[in-house]
Each structure stands twice: as structure tokens, then as C-alpha cells.
Amino acid sequence: MQTIAAIATASGTCGVAIIRLSGDNCLEIAEKIFTPTKNFKPNYMYAGNISGDGFTDFGFLVYFKAPKSFTGEDVVELHCHGGVQIARGILKKCVMSGARLAERGEFTKRAFLNGKLTLASAEGMVDMINAESLALLRAGSMLYGEKLSDEVKTLQNALKDILAEVAVEIDYPEEDESGLDLKKITQKLSALKTEIDGLVKSYKSGKKIKEGVTVALCGKPNTGKSSLLNALLGYEKAIVSAEEGTTRDAVEGTLELDGVTYNLIDTAGIRERAGNVESIGIDRARKIIETADVILSVSEGEEVALPSNTGGKIIKVFNKSDIKTPVRDCDIAVSAKTGAGVEELKKLISEKGMGDTSLDKAYIVEERHFAALKKGAEALETALENIGVMTLDVISVDLKEAWDALGEITGETANEEIISTVFSKFCVGK
């Protein structure tokens, strides 16, 4: 395969830059620009001079022999000083010596095509690289470590065994006098669907891990919502004033709890009589409240009326506990002014927003995986409905559809469009 080359380290001035080559003649290209030329052994680092476009730099060469490399091909890494022009000049020299510039994610795509990792594992790598929270880093790490792929392959293997039983019955019915045990097949398929349904349900938490948990602070004007937002964040984000209607539009800030990102939104105080500008803010507040994952209903006595479908998401927060007596039906009493109860409120937000975020659990964080699992579950549901009603060849079509849907996650049955979309998320050099 043609040798590709790219700068593998981040753009900008740094201590060391790495130019990576992968392909059949990467070592031949490296020998043209690295001196002294030696009989390079795999997995050893060699010191020497690297020729760039019109200059020479002192650096190192490492050779990884196929298939024991990241891409599964021969790979060479050239380590040079981390100047922008130095790295670009050496990359240009590699291209002049026979390589071509790599496309986005092409190194990882070659690793996938050469069986070094699954498609899901590659997506986990992207999540790890782009993670802005510890929870997403953990979830990406589990995905990269093939935990989801292993679970999916186990489900596929079980389906394959059932398909084999059905195929034998279709092709050689005279070989089995007792016939296919449909009750046993039904039990197996039901168990498989239960496992898939469990993975589908984990997407609700996985989506929050990836995108963050939305927390809306709402209530009547002057209940201290903005002060509470500032207290939760630990710095002054929102303007605080005794004047009603100070917050006329949503004010946002982020907070990390147990590794998960929480997007806090301070909404406009909700009241009946308000000016035109403030009314727009109140309308926006109501929309935010309807879509929020957690709602902090902040009050100092009388609560604001909230939509009936938000009941399970509400935490009733009594503010100003330093100067007033808390109402009995509040979930927690705090004082944004003194900080009393704020840490306890953070724990409640975490429990309401995410609950358990176990380190060893494979969360579904990719919408693509969620869609594939749902497709697989629906195909199994159809197969279960057809058992005893439709012929075995019809049922086998449903089972094959479920198997194919699961294969989209690992990449086994993914089409070129899916594969290209996944690797387009990578940067050049990865």
C-alpha cells in the first residue's frame, strides 16, 4: 500500500514534533532523509540527522515492522525539534522522497482495515481525544478498549448459533425427527433482546456523558437564582441585583461533578407582569425548563408553577436560609450568600442528573451505536412475533437483519459511507 505521511503531533511550537509514515516503502523513504543509514531494527530508537527541505535537524528514528504497529503496516516515526517550520520541512522532504500526504484519520482507518481495531474502538479513540470531561474520557476509554465491541460480538455469536440451527432445519428437515425446539429458540431470542434493550437504555446516560447534563435554575424574580448560580460555579458569572427582572436572558456556566459536565442555565425570573424584553426572556426560560435534565426550582417560600411533565426532574431549593426559615416541603435549604448547603446541593444535582457512573460500564455514547442497537432490537422483536406464525425462512431474514445491525457497530457490516464518516472526525496524522 502507498506510503502516507503526516505530522502526528499538535500544530504549534513544542518540545518535540513527530512525523509519521505508514506503508510498504516507509523505511526506504526514511533511509533517504535520515543519516547515518543503518540496518534499522524494529522497536529501537536511533539518533541521527534528519534532512528537511533545505535544512538538517538532529533527531530520532523509530521503526515498527508490520504487523506489529498501530496501522498493521510498516511504520516509521521521525522525532525532530518541535518548531512549526522544522516539522513542515521534514514532512515536505518525505513527500518529495515518495510518500503522499495522509488524509484525515487515514492512519487509524488503515488500522481498522488491517484488523488492528474495530470501528467502535476507533470512535472511542476520538471521544478520548476530544473529551472535555473525565466521564467522557472514561466512556471513550471503555469504547477504545473494545468493551462494547466484545459485548456486541458475543451477541452476534449467539445469533449466529441460532441462525445455524434454523438453517439446518430449513435445509435438512428430515435429519431431525423431533423438529426445531421453537420454545427454546424463543427463550434465547428473548434473552438476547433483553441484553440489547439494556444497552439501548444506557444511551440516555451516555448522551449526558457526551453532551453534558442541562440544569435549569428557575423561580420567581429576586429569589437569588443568579446568586445561587455564582455560588455553584465558584465565581461571579451572573449579574446580581435587588431589582426585579435583572436576568432577562439565559446565563450559562459549566460545572464538573463526578467527572460529568453540568451545563447550568440561570433563566429569567418568571412572573405575570413583565415588560416586552423581560417577557421574551421568560418565554425562553419556559422552553429551557421543558428540555432541561434537572430543574432547580429556587424559592424563598412560594414556588413558581412548572409544567406537569417536569416533576421527576425537579429539586426544590429554598434559598436565603441565612435569613429565613425553610419551608417544609423543600428538598434542600441553602444560602447562596454564605455558601451553606451548596455542596450538598451539588450532590443532589449529581444524583438527579446522572446517578451511578460506574467506571467498568460500557455506556452507549454514540448516536450511531444507539440507532444500530435499536434496529437490532426491532428485528429481534419481529422475529419473536413471527415464531409459530411465519415460516422459518422468514424468521431467518429477521435474525440476519439483527446480526447485520449489530455488525454496524464493530464495522463488520458497516458500509463505506459509515466508515468514511467515522474517520472524517479524526485530525490529519491520527
Side-chain angles (χ1 to χ4, degrees):
M1 189 172 285
Q2 186 179 4
T3 297
I4 55 175
I7 299 170
T9 42
S11 177
T13 303
C14 56
V16 175
I18 298 174
I19 295 86
R20 176 182 292 160
L21 300 97
S22 179
D24 295 339
N25 64 333
C26 66
L27 191 58
E28 177 186 332
I29 292 170
E31 288 174 341
K32 292 178 182 178
I33 64 176
F34 187 90
T35 56
T37 301
K38 299 181 180 180
N39 183 22
F40 297 115
K41 295 181 181 179
N43 308 319
Y44 280 79
M45 179 173 277
Y46 295 88
N49 293 313
I50 309 172
S51 296
D53 182 30
F55 67 91
T56 299
D57 184 35
F58 178 80
F60 301 92
L61 178 149
V62 185
Y63 167 50
F64 302 94
K65 185 175 177 58
K68 296 182 179 180
S69 69
F70 173 70
T71 62
E73 305 170 342
D74 280 356
V75 171
V76 168
E77 289 184 355
L78 297 167
H79 298 228
C80 63
H81 288 98
V84 175
Q85 294 303 323
I86 297 173
R88 288 178 180 174
I90 294 173
L91 175 61
K92 184 176 181 180
K93 192 73 172 182
C94 290
V95 174
M96 291 167 61
S97 301
R100 71 163 172 82
L101 293 176
E103 298 174 359
R104 295 175 68 92
E106 190 170 2
F107 289 94
T108 311
K109 185 176 182 178
R110 290 191 177 194
F112 163 69
L113 295 174
N114 290 323
K116 302 296 286 188
L117 77 173
T118 64
L119 199 58
S121 178
E123 289 168 293
M125 187 188 301
V126 173
D127 287 337
M128 290 179 68
I129 292 170
N130 297 327
E132 295 184 358
S133 70
L134 180 58
L136 182 54
L137 176 58
R138 291 170 180 167
S141 177
M142 297 295 288
L143 197 55
Y144 177 56
E146 304 284 16
K147 185 167 180 63
L148 177 62
S149 295
D150 289 344
E151 290 186 23
V152 169
K153 286 177 180 177
T154 299
L155 293 170
Q156 280 189 292
N157 288 337
L159 269 173
K160 189 186 292 184
D161 290 341
I162 296 172
L163 273 165
E165 290 184 56
V166 173
V168 168
E169 182 65 21
I170 292 172
D171 294 337
Y172 307 103
E174 69 283 354
E175 298 289 329
D176 187 0
E177 296 180 0
S178 60
L180 190 66
D181 190 338
L182 295 180
K183 183 177 180 181
K184 190 175 181 181
I185 293 294
T186 300
Q187 289 173 343
K188 288 180 180 180
L189 291 178
S190 296
L192 287 175
K193 186 176 181 300
T194 298
E195 289 188 53
I196 295 174
D197 286 341
L199 289 172
V200 169
K201 288 177 182 177
S202 77
Y203 180 63
K204 185 177 181 180
S205 295
K207 189 175 182 181
K208 292 178 183 178
I209 287 173
K210 188 160 189 176
E211 299 177 2
V213 180
T214 303
V215 181
L217 287 78
C218 66
K220 292 181 176 297
N222 267 15
T223 54
K225 300 184 304 299
S226 298
S227 297
L228 184 56
L229 175 73
N230 292 341
L232 287 167
L233 295 177
Y235 62 92
E236 292 190 9
K237 174 74 175 182
I239 298 172
V240 177
S241 171
E243 181 181 341
E244 288 190 352
T246 301
T247 303
R248 296 190 175 188
D249 203 351
V251 179
E252 301 182 25
T254 58
L255 175 69
E256 188 167 306
L257 301 173
D258 296 328
V260 179
T261 297
Y262 287 76
N263 303 309
L264 308 183
I265 307 176
D266 176 23
T267 63
I270 299 174
R271 59 174 176 168
E272 296 302 323
R273 296 180 180 179
N276 290 335
V277 175
E278 189 181 347
S279 294
I280 295 172
I282 291 172
D283 289 339
R284 289 180 180 176
R286 294 187 188 280
K287 291 178 182 178
I288 292 168
I289 290 166
E290 289 177 1
T291 58
D293 299 306
V294 179
I295 301 169
L296 301 186
S297 179
V298 185
S299 72
E300 48 182 312
E302 185 182 357
E303 293 182 12
V304 68
L306 295 173
S308 58
N309 62 346
T310 60
K313 303 188 289 186
I314 297 172
I315 299 175
K316 296 179 180 180
V317 183
F318 181 89
N319 194 17
K320 304 183 183 179
S321 64
D322 55 315
I323 57 174
K324 294 185 178 183
T325 302
V327 294
R328 290 183 180 180
D329 64 340
C330 69
D331 295 311
I332 187 170
V334 303
S335 170
K337 183 177 181 180
T338 67
V342 171
E343 291 303 314
E344 289 78 6
L345 176 57
K346 289 180 182 179
K347 292 178 183 178
L348 279 180
I349 293 172
S350 179
E351 290 171 6
K352 182 74 72 173
M354 277 299 301
D356 178 40
T357 51
S358 303
L359 293 177
D360 60 348
K361 184 177 179 180
Y363 288 97
I364 303 302
V365 296
E366 300 294 334
E367 186 175 354
R368 188 182 76 80
H369 299 168
F370 172 67
L373 288 165
K374 278 195 70 176
K375 191 193 300 183
E378 289 168 0
L380 284 185
E381 181 66 32
T382 303
L384 285 165
E385 291 172 355
N386 287 337
I387 288 179
V389 179
M390 305 295 288
T391 58
L392 289 178
D393 56 340
V394 172
I395 294 169
S396 68
V397 171
D398 297 327
L399 298 182
K400 182 61 166 57
E401 185 179 338
W403 189 90
D404 286 341
L406 295 177
E408 289 181 11
I409 295 174
T410 61
E412 195 169 354
T413 59
N415 58 39
E416 184 58 37
E417 183 181 357
I418 291 174
I419 293 170
S420 297
T421 300
V422 168
F423 290 105
S424 68
K425 298 176 183 178
F426 284 83
C427 60
V428 174
K430 193 59 183 169

